[in-house]
Amino acid sequence: MDKIVITGGRKLKGEVAISGAKNSALPIIAASLLSEEESVIENVPDLRDIQTMLRLLRALGAKAQYENGTVTVKPGKNLNPVAPYKLVSTMRASVCVMGPLLARMGQAEVSIPGGCIIGPRPIDLHIKGLEALGAQVEIQHGYVNARAPKKLRGADIFLGGSFGSSVLATGNVMMAAVLAQGKTTIENAACEPEVVDLARFLKKMGAKIIGEGSPILEIEGVKKLRGIRFAVIPDRIEAGTYLFAAAMTGGDVLIKKTEPAHTHAVADKLRQSGVRIDKGKMTLRVRRNGRLKPVDVTTLPYPGFPTDLQAQMMALMSITPGISVITEKIYPDRFMHVSELNRMGSKIFLEGNSAIVHGVKRLSGAPVMASDLRASAALVLAALVAEGTTEVHRVYHLDRGYEKLETKFSFLGASIHRERE
Ligand code: EPU
């Protein structure tokens, strides 16, 4: 296992290019199963989760390969409908093969992903949507067995749960509906840019969808889809992570190959915190000279502040003079980073689904343990401003979602490297 070693105290300066969005690429790769023909997907980051998705596609009988940021998938005529526990248990996003398998093969047997370190992760909305389209769903031996003896039929579906809309459930149901007979309306659809990107991919394949980016999606089923070439959007969570890094270190960084329109909520909070952000066409320049100011943040579905940047925001709050409050509305238990940040000298108190953060003058480097992808990113950010050296263990979490993390931070002037344990 590797560890990342960071010595804090350097202001980040320079330019960093953002990779393709992991959370866009994963469902899009699954969606390529909807055609027999070959699809080529570009701007795909070189990440462990992407490799897991490709392994899953191969297990389903498709040809799938990755080379230099490009994924090529050739599903062929017949697919094996079983997504095995071994692969699904390592990555929840595997669940998004359910919609395409059901639509193409009339059958999907997908291991139930289960919860994860960020809390319970139910899939009731996925199942509700697929049942509404006519699938018969049974839970047996830890698997969701979905069958559509007759062709799926369009339906009116309300996809809201206790925590609002669901990104992957919207994707899954949309992917099934594009090949169903007749019209489907999904209400309370997720509006995240990754859902819009998936809809763009499907439309290029020949699907008929309107309303992507709004809570109401209208889909007219078609008989067949074709293979296409497509490039995924830039990763807004990676961009946000570099925004925080530059802001925390008091640096001056130009973030390139990004989509500023996808980071409004984050830029707004950073500006309130005293950070200067200038938008360009595909760039964001982030600078800070003055003191950070405390803010309160609540995570919400898009276009609200993303849960995937909550931990990173907390790292910034840790060194912001005064008291800041962060409330987690998507995953109320997503606070595994709190105890590790506190080991570095943060003063964070949990109160239900809120964290009360008392800003401290300085953090101190320590050995810390990464618990999930975004929690690990928060530890890296804290380490960049901490006194002394921090060792972040269990780096495989970071490798799931941040492409070339040490290289990118090194280019910006950070003292960071990877070591074998
Ligand atoms: N939910 C249900 N029932 C469902 C599905 C979801 O109650 O059937 C709840 C969840 O428990 C949660 C809320 O709905 O409280 C939203 O979850 P959502 O379904 O939107 O999450 P997801 O689609 O499984 C994606 C990202 C996550 C990101 C969330 C929220 C991918 C591969 N994953 O997950 O990304 O946090 O949307 O934006 O797209 C990450 O990248 O670190 C990550 C965890």
Side-chain angles (χ1 to χ4, degrees), residues 84-126:
Y85 174 74
K86 215 174 87 197
L87 290 170
V88 180
S89 59
T90 60
M91 187 185 69
R92 262 190 67 85
S94 315
V95 79
C96 44
V97 297
M98 197 148 66
L101 283 176
L102 197 58
R104 274 280 315 278
M105 309 312 297
Q107 192 183 350
E109 290 182 31
V110 179
S111 174
I112 300 172
C116 68
I117 197 82
I118 66 176
R121 312 262 315 251
I123 54 164
D124 55 308
L125 293 173
H126 300 241

Side-chain angles (χ1 to χ4, degrees), residues 35-87:
S35 169
E36 288 175 20
E37 296 170 12
E38 178 177 286
S39 283
V40 178
I41 305 154
E42 294 166 352
N43 202 30
V44 178
D46 189 2
L47 299 172
R48 215 159 56 96
D49 276 8
I50 299 293
Q51 295 303 340
T52 308
M53 183 57 93
L54 297 183
R55 279 216 303 281
L56 175 58
L57 259 59
R58 283 181 217 119
L60 300 175
K63 286 194 182 132
Q65 63 172 46
Y66 182 90
E67 215 183 309
N68 287 334
T70 300
V71 164
T72 308
V73 182
K74 180 124 203 261
K77 218 173 175 54
N78 288 311
L79 294 168
N80 156 26
V82 184
Y85 174 74
K86 215 174 87 197
L87 290 170

Side-chain angles (χ1 to χ4, degrees), residues 46-244:
D46 189 2
L47 299 172
R48 215 159 56 96
D49 276 8
I50 299 293
Q51 295 303 340
T52 308
M53 183 57 93
L54 297 183
R55 279 216 303 281
L56 175 58
L57 259 59
R58 283 181 217 119
L60 300 175
K63 286 194 182 132
Q65 63 172 46
Y66 182 90
E67 215 183 309
N68 287 334
T70 300
V71 164
T72 308
V73 182
K74 180 124 203 261
K77 218 173 175 54
N78 288 311
L79 294 168
N80 156 26
V82 184
Y85 174 74
K86 215 174 87 197
L87 290 170
V88 180
S89 59
T90 60
M91 187 185 69
R92 262 190 67 85
S94 315
V95 79
C96 44
V97 297
M98 197 148 66
L101 283 176
L102 197 58
R104 274 280 315 278
M105 309 312 297
Q107 192 183 350
E109 290 182 31
V110 179
S111 174
I112 300 172
C116 68
I117 197 82
I118 66 176
R121 312 262 315 251
I123 54 164
D124 55 308
L125 293 173
H126 300 241
I127 295 175
K128 177 184 175 186
L130 297 176
E131 280 182 335
L133 294 174
Q136 295 166 2
V137 180
E138 275 181 345
I139 309 289
Q140 266 177 343
H141 311 298
Y143 278 72
V144 180
N145 290 341
R147 257 159 243 277
K150 291 190 229 134
K151 208 168 162 35
L152 295 173
R153 282 190 172 277
D156 290 345
I157 306 167
F158 181 79
L159 265 194
S162 330
F163 297 96
S165 56
S166 161
V167 175
L168 291 182
T170 302
N172 236 335
V173 178
M174 179 163 64
M175 289 188 276
V178 290
L179 287 180
Q181 230 163 37
K183 186 179 166 185
T184 296
T185 305
I186 303 178
E187 281 195 49
N188 211 37
C191 305
E192 271 70 4
E194 294 76 14
V195 176
V196 176
D197 211 27
L198 174 61
R200 280 178 46 229
F201 179 79
L202 294 169
K203 282 165 85 159
K204 202 166 175 195
M205 287 180 101
K208 292 191 177 153
I209 303 171
I210 51 175
E212 65 273 24
S214 84
I216 300 182
L217 283 175
E218 288 176 331
I219 302 156
E220 190 67 49
V222 297
K223 284 216 163 70
K224 228 176 165 177
L225 295 172
R226 57 181 171 269
I228 55 157
R229 181 176 276 270
F230 187 84
V232 304
I233 51 169
D235 195 313
R236 65 193 167 103
I237 305 300
E238 190 198 16
T241 303
Y242 287 99
L243 282 176
F244 284 112

